[in-house]
């Protein structure tokens, strides 16, 4: 067994391909984008109140996983980096990597050297390393056995990188290259290199922890200068999967409660498309990002792999979520033709990542949540009069005085909740989807590019006489089309 990853090979009735989990999720966000330590503290309170949604093994002090995602806390990082004689530029001009290293010092130093080399090869500026203070005194034996050595890497934005979006893509390429190229397998499997986050916008603190262990393990989460306008938290319950440090959530963009039941097909189709992929923003770098899906991850991690790729390739976060978790649209009588065209067009490009799921997501500016089309995972939210939104997998995760409550609600099947901290407002499901669906003439693209098989085949003569029954004109599915939709 791999101690760090705690995942055995396929054997007997066990197959890692069928792993799923069910968890507790939540987020706290200031609608106006006002950063404070209070948002972080409240989110950790939410996490503690979701402790029962997480799980532990036979050791009561070894958790399945817990974590928090926040915006980069610039004031805190400037102070923390200065202790290691690192001078940080202004926000948006540097990125921070939270990195899990092997505890073996020789392997760690080799991994650090390789990482620095990749940063230089990609034209970015390596600023320095910082060891993250941790306290493992409360952790169980199993959690301690797989515990990584945790460091932060600070990367400066090269002058040639024109904006934050381009810098995020550069950091993504660095991370993918490092993930593919820096591994130190051994018999115990304890020398794995992993990057929980590498971004100029967000940072992730997570581990094989109980929700109640987060603040003790990462003491700096209690520092008043560690501020954010949004925070996503997750308490993991590995229903029929194996917990480890890497599989704790959040996953850079998402927190997930539920299961992806169509996973094998989703993975296979993504692999099949890779040879045909093209990207204006990545250009020739695209081939260095492949494979998109890391099949060593959980179902949540593989969902995240696809979402991140779609977003960094140029789509908005709501657009990518609509592609991956579409509403039931085919026979929807009241849905607008514009929205139907959007879903029909994207059905030619990607299959739904389907299953009972509630997913919280953020790009560091926008934060939201979406529920699967059947509504099989709960998500409740509260909006306060002082511009705070709290969403979680259940009610009662944060004490809010009744007089502060402006609105309460629950996510509806297939619907999306979105808060844009730049615009300082909540954007309704109708507005989000109308905006995304009207960005391009999807109906026109369908009509011009889709090829129906019934238009190609002779209606009177089957292509293969010996198999004529299944494909005769009377049995052919109406409206069957190839996957040739495109712009």
């Amino acid at each position: 067994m791999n101690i760090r990853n705690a995942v055995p090979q396929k054997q007997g009735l066990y197959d890692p391909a069928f792993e799923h989990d069910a968890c507790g999720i939540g987020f706290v966000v200031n609608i106006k984008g006002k950063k404070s330590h209070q948002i972080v503290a409240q989110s950790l309170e939410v996490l503690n109140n979701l402790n029962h949604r997480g799980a532990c093994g036979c050791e009561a002090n070894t958790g399945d996983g817990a974590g928090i995602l926040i915006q980069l806390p610039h004031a805190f990082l400037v102070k923390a980096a200065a202790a290691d004689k690192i001078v940080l530029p202004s926000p948006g001009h540097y990125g921070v990597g939270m990195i899990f290293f092997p505890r073996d010092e020789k392997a760690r130093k080799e991994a650090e050297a390789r990482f620095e080399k990749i940063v230089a090869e990609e034209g970015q500026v390596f600023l320095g390393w910082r060891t993250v203070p941790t306290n493992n005194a409360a952790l169980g034996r199993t959690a301690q056995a797989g515990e990584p050595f945790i460091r932060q890497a600070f990367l400066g934005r090269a002058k040639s990188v024109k904006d934050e979006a381009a810098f995020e893509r550069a950091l993504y390429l660095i991370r993918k290259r490092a993930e593919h190229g820096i591994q130190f397998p051994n018999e115990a499997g304890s020398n794995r290199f992993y990057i929980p986050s590498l971004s100029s916008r967000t940072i992730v603190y997570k581990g094989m922890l109980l929700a109640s262990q987060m603040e003790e393990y990462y003491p700096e989460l209690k520092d008043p200068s560690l501020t954010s306008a949004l925070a996503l938290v997750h308490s993991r319950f590995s229903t029929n999967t194996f917990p480890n440090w890497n599989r704790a959530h959040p996953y850079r963009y998402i927190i997930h409660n539920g299961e992806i039941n169509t996973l094998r097909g989703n993975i296979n189709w993504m692999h099949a498309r890779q040879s045909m992929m093209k990207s204006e923003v990545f250009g020739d770098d695209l081939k260095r990002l492949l494979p998109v899906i890391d099949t060593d991850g959980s179902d949540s991690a593989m969902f995240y792999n696809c979402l991140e790729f779609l977003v960094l390739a140029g789509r908005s976060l709501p657009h990518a979520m609509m592609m991956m978790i579409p509403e039931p649209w085919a026979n929807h009588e009241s849905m607008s033709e514009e929205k139907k065209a959007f879903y029909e067009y994207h059905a030619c490009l990607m299959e739904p990542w389907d299953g009972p799921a509630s997913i919280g997501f953020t790009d560091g500016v926008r934060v939201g949540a979406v529920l699967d089309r059947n509504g099989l995972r709960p998500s409740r939210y509260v909006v306060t009069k002082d511009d705070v939104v709290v969403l979680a997998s259940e009610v009662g995760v944060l004490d809010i005085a009744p007089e502060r409550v402006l609105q309460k609600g629950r996510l509806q099947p297939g619907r999306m909740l979105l808060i844009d901290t730049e615009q300082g407002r909540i954007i309704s499901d109708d507005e989000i989807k109308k905006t995304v669906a009207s960005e391009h003439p999807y109906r026109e693209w369908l009509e011009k590019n889709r090829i129906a098989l019934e238009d190609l085949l002779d209606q009177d003569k089957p292509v293969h006489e010996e198999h004529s029954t299944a494909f005769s004109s009377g049995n052919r599915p109406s409206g069957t089309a190839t996957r040739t939709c495109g712009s």
Side-chain angles (χ1 to χ4, degrees):
M1 178 183 286
N2 180 326
I3 293 178
R4 165 71 68 84
N5 295 312
V7 179
Q9 299 298 312
K10 181 179 178 180
Q11 55 187 290
L13 297 176
Y14 171 74
D15 187 338
F18 296 113
E19 289 194 345
H20 299 290
D21 51 30
C23 319
I25 67 170
F27 67 66
V28 182
V29 55
N30 183 282
I31 299 171
K32 304 301 181 183
K34 182 180 178 181
K35 294 185 178 183
S36 68
H37 182 68
Q38 184 182 24
I39 291 290
V40 179
Q42 287 178 329
S43 68
L44 289 170
E45 184 179 345
V46 170
L47 182 60
N48 277 317
N49 288 331
L50 290 169
N51 198 44
H52 64 285
R53 292 296 297 267
C56 61
C58 58
E59 302 163 358
N61 53 356
T62 292
D64 279 13
I68 181 172
L69 179 155
I70 60 174
Q71 294 172 321
L72 282 192
H74 179 65
F76 169 80
L77 290 171
V78 167
K79 177 180 66 174
D84 288 299
K85 297 181 171 57
I86 302 168
V87 178
L88 296 183
S90 58
H93 289 268
Y94 72 96
V96 181
M98 184 72 87
I99 305 180
F100 289 174
F101 284 101
R103 297 201 70 83
D104 178 77
E105 185 176 4
K106 180 180 178 182
R108 174 172 62 81
K109 288 186 178 298
E110 184 177 345
E112 288 176 354
R114 289 193 198 179
F115 183 82
E116 291 178 33
K117 182 180 180 183
I118 291 171
V119 172
E121 289 172 350
E122 295 305 318
Q124 305 307 312
V125 183
F126 186 79
L127 301 175
W129 293 102
R130 171 185 180 249
T131 299
V132 178
T134 58
N135 178 7
N136 68 1
L139 303 191
R141 182 182 61 84
T142 304
Q144 289 189 17
E147 183 186 10
F149 190 87
I150 305 174
R151 300 262 271 169
Q152 286 174 345
F154 296 92
L155 280 63
R157 182 172 131 190
K159 292 181 180 179
S160 58
V161 178
K162 60 183 180 180
D163 55 33
E164 280 190 40
F167 189 36
E168 283 295 300
R169 288 192 294 272
L171 295 175
Y172 175 55
L173 180 57
I174 289 169
R175 197 192 83 231
K176 294 291 280 188
R177 284 194 60 195
E179 288 172 345
H180 294 159
I182 306 177
Q183 295 299 333
F184 299 92
N186 61 16
E187 289 184 9
S190 60
N191 277 343
R192 182 154 187 204
F193 172 91
Y194 176 76
I195 305 178
S197 64
L198 178 57
S199 173
S200 64
R201 298 173 179 169
T202 60
I203 189 168
V204 172
Y205 291 83
K206 70 175 185 177
M208 193 171 164
L209 309 166
L210 294 166
S212 57
Q213 294 172 335
M214 275 291 296
E215 288 179 272
E216 184 175 355
Y217 186 77
Y218 290 112
E220 65 193 39
L221 291 175
K222 293 181 279 191
D223 191 305
S225 66
L226 190 136
T227 62
S228 180
L230 58 88
L232 278 65
V233 294
H234 189 276
S235 180
R236 189 165 188 249
F237 192 116
S238 306
T239 358
N240 58 340
T241 181
F242 287 85
N244 63 54
W245 283 79
N246 302 352
R247 286 187 174 182
H249 295 219
Y251 280 115
R252 306 182 189 102
Y253 278 72
I254 70 160
I255 47 177
H256 175 234
N257 170 31
E259 302 177 1
I260 307 298
N261 292 337
T262 56
L263 194 61
R264 177 48 52 198
N266 297 132
I267 295 168
N268 289 344
W269 274 113
M270 285 300 294
H271 281 315
R273 295 187 186 101
Q274 286 180 174
S275 62
M276 300 182 292
M277 285 180 178
K278 294 181 181 179
S279 171
E280 292 181 6
V281 294
F282 284 118
D284 293 337
D285 287 332
L286 182 62
K287 59 182 177 291
R288 297 195 292 164
L289 298 172
L290 305 178
V292 173
I293 305 295
D294 177 7
T295 53
D296 287 336
S298 64
D299 57 338
S300 305
M302 289 185 266
F303 178 97
Y304 154 75
N305 290 152
C306 181
L307 177 70
E308 177 184 48
F309 181 74
L310 293 175
V311 170
L312 292 177
R315 294 170 177 84
S316 69
L317 191 51
H319 185 148
M321 292 301 300
M322 288 171 65
M323 285 179 66
M324 296 181 69
I325 307 181
E327 297 176 75
W329 55 270
N331 298 308
H332 199 305
E333 295 178 358
S334 61
M335 183 179 288
S336 70
E337 283 302 314
E338 204 170 44
K339 198 196 292 189
K340 276 188 180 180
F342 171 89
Y343 286 125
E344 189 175 353
Y345 174 84
H346 286 90
C348 298
L349 306 180
M350 176 169 289
E351 305 69 30
W353 291 66
D354 222 351
S358 175
I359 299 178
F361 55 86
T362 187
D363 58 8
V365 177
R366 286 149 288 274
V367 59
V370 65
L371 202 61
D372 68 90
R373 65 176 80 188
N374 294 311
L376 296 175
R377 285 290 186 272
S379 284
R380 303 271 182 169
Y381 63 87
V382 175
V383 183
T384 70
K385 294 176 182 176
D386 53 350
D387 298 319
V388 172
V389 177
V390 180
L391 177 140
S393 46
E394 57 204 83
V395 296
V397 293
L398 193 63
D399 289 332
I400 299 174
E403 59 270 19
R404 284 184 59 207
V405 176
L406 177 66
Q407 179 187 352
K408 291 183 178 181
R410 60 183 288 268
L411 281 182
Q412 301 294 324
R415 298 299 180 89
M416 192 182 298
L417 173 71
L418 186 70
I419 299 99
D420 190 317
T421 62
E422 270 187 348
Q423 296 185 33
R425 68 189 183 99
I426 299 173
I427 305 176
S428 70
D429 179 83
D430 287 341
E431 182 182 348
I432 299 164
K433 292 174 179 175
K434 183 177 181 181
T435 300
V436 171
S438 61
E439 284 177 336
H440 299 290
Y442 292 111
R443 179 59 62 193
E444 179 184 334
W445 288 355
L446 281 165
E447 292 173 354
K448 286 184 177 180
N449 296 285
R450 183 169 54 185
I451 301 170
L453 292 179
E454 59 189 14
D455 294 336
L456 296 176
L457 303 178
D458 189 326
Q459 296 285 328
D460 300 319
K461 295 182 180 179
V463 177
H464 300 291
E465 294 291 344
E466 65 273 21
H467 299 297
S468 60
T469 305
F471 293 99
S472 66
S473 59
N475 290 302
R476 186 181 299 110
S478 175
T480 303
T482 63
R483 291 183 176 273
T484 57
C485 300
S487 58

